[in-house]
């Protein structure tokens, strides 16, 4: 079903050219499908481990990993605001941080030093946003 949503050809025969489409269902899949969630969780872990000391450095790191360019000032500002909002939202118990960060209701293992499950979950949300951007998905 995932491949059909993105118009992938049948694997039984060759395809000279794939058709292009962009549907709302594709956006829903890229936000909620297990594979995309695991990609966002992995990007969040890598960002926390290697992204730098400040949240701004980490946002720059994640943005460059997803889009191969630095964020503009307005993009950085929006992502930092989202990160702060998610830290508060998750920290106040509205969402299970462990479940969002790992996909299971268990504490995350081997967190980067100085990282909490709430931070990992908040960066997972930011990573989901970055990986669902049209610029990330569509090659132009």
């Amino acid at each position: 079903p995932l491949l059909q949503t993105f118009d992938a050809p049948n694997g039984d025969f060759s395809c000279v050219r794939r058709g292009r489409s962009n549907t709302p269902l594709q956006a829903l899949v890229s936000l909620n499908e297990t594979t995309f969630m695991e990609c966002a969780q992995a990007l969040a872990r890598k960002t926390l481990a290697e992204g730098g000391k400040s949240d701004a450095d980490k946002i720059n790191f994640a943005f460059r990993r997803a889009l191969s360019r630095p964020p503009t000032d307005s993009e950085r500002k929006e992502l930092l605001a989202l990160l702060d909002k998610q830290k508060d939202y998750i920290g106040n118990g509205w969402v299970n941080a462990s479940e969002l960060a790992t996909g299971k209701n268990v504490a995350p293992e081997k967190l980067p030093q100085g990282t909490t499950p709430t931070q990992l979950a908040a960066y997972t949300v930011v990573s989901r946003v970055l990986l669902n951007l049209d610029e990330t998905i569509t090659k132009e």
Side-chain angles (χ1 to χ4, degrees), residues 2 5 8 20 26 31 40 45 47-48 52 68-71 73 82 85 97 103-104 106 116 119-120 130 139:
L2 168 69
T5 303
R20 288 178 73 178
Q26 292 172 345
L31 276 174
R45 274 187 180 274
T47 298
L48 287 167
S68 300
R69 69 171 177 85
D73 290 337
L82 172 64
K85 183 178 178 182
K104 302 173 187 130
V106 296
T116 65
Q119 288 173 312
L120 180 57
L130 290 173
K139 180 181 178 183

Side-chain angles (χ1 to χ4, degrees), residues 11-114:
D12 295 342
F13 54 89
S14 63
C15 176
V16 177
R17 180 176 211 136
R18 271 180 68 182
R20 288 178 73 178
S21 70
N22 185 5
T23 68
L25 187 55
Q26 292 172 345
L28 287 173
V29 167
S30 63
L31 276 174
N32 299 312
E33 169 44 51
T34 304
T35 304
F36 287 94
M37 277 298 295
E38 289 172 352
C39 290
Q41 291 163 351
L43 178 59
R45 274 187 180 274
K46 188 164 192 70
T47 298
L48 287 167
E50 302 173 18
K53 296 186 187 234
S54 70
D55 284 337
D57 290 341
K58 290 174 183 160
I59 291 293
N60 288 339
F61 178 86
F63 198 95
R64 288 194 65 118
R65 301 282 301 175
L67 295 161
S68 300
R69 69 171 177 85
T72 64
D73 290 337
S74 63
E75 290 168 334
R76 184 180 308 104
K77 182 180 172 185
E78 286 293 323
L79 290 170
L80 286 169
L82 172 64
L83 180 65
D84 290 339
K85 183 178 178 182
Q86 290 304 310
K87 283 180 183 177
D88 289 342
Y89 187 73
I90 296 165
N92 289 330
W94 290 99
V95 176
N96 183 337
S98 297
E99 191 171 342
L100 185 57
T102 65
K104 302 173 187 130
N105 197 8
V106 296
E109 296 178 6
K110 300 178 184 175
L111 287 173
Q113 189 171 359

